[in-house]
Amino acid sequence: MKTIGLIGGMSWESSAEYYRLLNELVRERLGGLHSARCILHSVDFAEIERLQVSGEWEQAGEVLAEAGRGLAAAGADLLLICTNTMHKVAGQVQDAVPVPLLHLGDATADAVRAAGLRTVGLLGTAFTMEQDFYRDRLAGHGLTVLVPEAEGRAEVHRIIYEELCLGIVDDGSRAVYQRVIDQLVADGAEGVVLGCTEIELLIGQEDSPVPVFPTTRLHAEAAVTAALATG
C-alpha cells in the first residue's frame, strides 16, 4: 500500500472527514484491521484564509508547496490537497514535489462522466464558483458548469466560512442550499458538484432532486484506488 500525503487543515473539519473516509475505504477494500497509510500536514487555516481574501495566492501556494515537500520527504507516495478552493495553486504544489498530486477536480469530473451527465451545478466558496481555475478543470473534461446567481453564491460562501468551517450544521442553512440547488436544476443542471469539502457536512443526496457529487468522498476514493494499485 502506498502512503497518502494529506495537505489539510482547510478546514480541519473536512480534513477529519478525509481521514475517516480513507481509513473506512481501505478497510472496506482489504478487510480485517487494515487502515490507510497516510501522513497529514495540517496548516493554520486563519493564515490561508487571510491570503485568500487579500489575493496573495502565490504566497498561499508556497505554504502548501512547503507542506507538500515535507510530506514527500516523510515518505508520501502521492499527495492530496484536502480542499477544493486551494486547487487554484495545485500546479504550484505539483511543481514543488517529486510525487504525483491527485487533482480533486479530475476525480470529480470522472465521476460525473461515469454517471452519464454533462451539465452540472457547482457549489463552493466564492473563489471556486467565480474564478476560472476549477470550472475550467471540469470543462476540460467536457462538462458544462453552472453556478448560482450572485445572491445565492454569497449565501453559499457565507455558510461555508461562518458555519461549516466552525463545525456548525444548521437546518436553516440546509434549506438555503436546497433552494440554490433547486434553482440550478431549473437552469438545466443534471447534477450538483458539492465543490467545497465542508458542504458534505450539510448536504446529502436526500437534499437534492438530482445526483450530487461529494468531492471529499470522490477524492478519497481516487486516493485509495491509487494507493492500492499495483505497479
Side-chain angles (χ1 to χ4, degrees), residues 127-139:
F127 310 110
T128 300
M129 292 185 289
E130 295 174 1
Q131 298 183 23
D132 293 336
F133 69 93
Y134 197 84
R135 290 185 286 116
D136 284 355
R137 191 79 179 202
L138 297 179

Side-chain angles (χ1 to χ4, degrees), residues 33-74:
L33 296 176
H34 284 289
S35 56
R37 295 182 185 271
C38 57
I39 308 168
L40 169 65
H41 182 122
S42 189
V43 303
D44 179 0
F45 189 33
E47 175 187 359
I48 299 298
E49 191 269 344
R50 178 182 61 80
L51 295 172
Q52 289 175 340
V53 171
S54 62
E56 298 176 75
W57 293 100
E58 185 173 353
Q59 186 174 343
E62 181 51 36
V63 174
L64 269 60
E66 183 61 28
R69 285 190 285 265
L71 290 167

Side-chain angles (χ1 to χ4, degrees), residues 1-209:
M1 189 193 311
K2 298 180 180 70
T3 299
I4 302 167
L6 306 171
I7 304 175
M10 301 165 284
S11 67
W12 70 258
E13 298 283 347
S14 64
S15 298
E17 282 294 292
Y18 267 93
Y19 185 72
R20 179 182 65 81
L21 286 166
L22 290 171
N23 284 290
E24 287 181 352
L25 289 164
V26 168
R27 183 174 61 193
E28 288 173 9
R29 298 190 192 188
L30 298 183
L33 296 176
H34 284 289
S35 56
R37 295 182 185 271
C38 57
I39 308 168
L40 169 65
H41 182 122
S42 189
V43 303
D44 179 0
F45 189 33
E47 175 187 359
I48 299 298
E49 191 269 344
R50 178 182 61 80
L51 295 172
Q52 289 175 340
V53 171
S54 62
E56 298 176 75
W57 293 100
E58 185 173 353
Q59 186 174 343
E62 181 51 36
V63 174
L64 269 60
E66 183 61 28
R69 285 190 285 265
L71 290 167
D77 298 301
L78 56 103
L79 296 182
L80 306 183
I81 299 174
C82 300
T83 160
N84 284 270
T85 297
M86 292 309 295
H87 276 72
K88 181 176 174 70
V89 299
Q92 188 176 348
V93 175
Q94 180 63 89
D95 290 345
V97 297
V99 298
L101 173 72
L102 272 62
H103 198 290
L104 193 156
D106 294 340
T108 301
D110 287 346
V112 173
R113 288 175 57 87
L117 307 184
R118 289 296 182 269
T119 301
V120 291
L122 173 63
L123 301 180
T125 67
F127 310 110
T128 300
M129 292 185 289
E130 295 174 1
Q131 298 183 23
D132 293 336
F133 69 93
Y134 197 84
R135 290 185 286 116
D136 284 355
R137 191 79 179 202
L138 297 179
H141 288 268
L143 303 181
T144 299
V145 182
L146 308 178
V147 297
E149 41 69 40
E151 183 179 352
R153 295 197 305 271
E155 274 297 276
V156 168
H157 179 90
R158 181 192 65 77
I159 289 166
I160 291 168
Y161 279 88
E162 295 183 9
E163 297 179 16
L164 299 178
C165 286
L166 299 176
I168 299 169
V169 178
D170 180 78
D171 286 340
S173 295
R174 181 177 293 109
V176 170
Y177 271 61
Q178 288 172 319
R179 288 195 294 272
V180 173
I181 289 170
D182 287 344
Q183 185 58 56
L184 287 169
V185 173
D187 291 340
E190 302 167 313
V192 176
V193 172
L194 306 182
C196 174
T197 50
E198 284 83 15
I199 293 178
E200 286 153 74
L201 303 174
L202 182 67
I203 295 295
Q205 184 57 67
E206 67 277 6
D207 300 305
S208 170

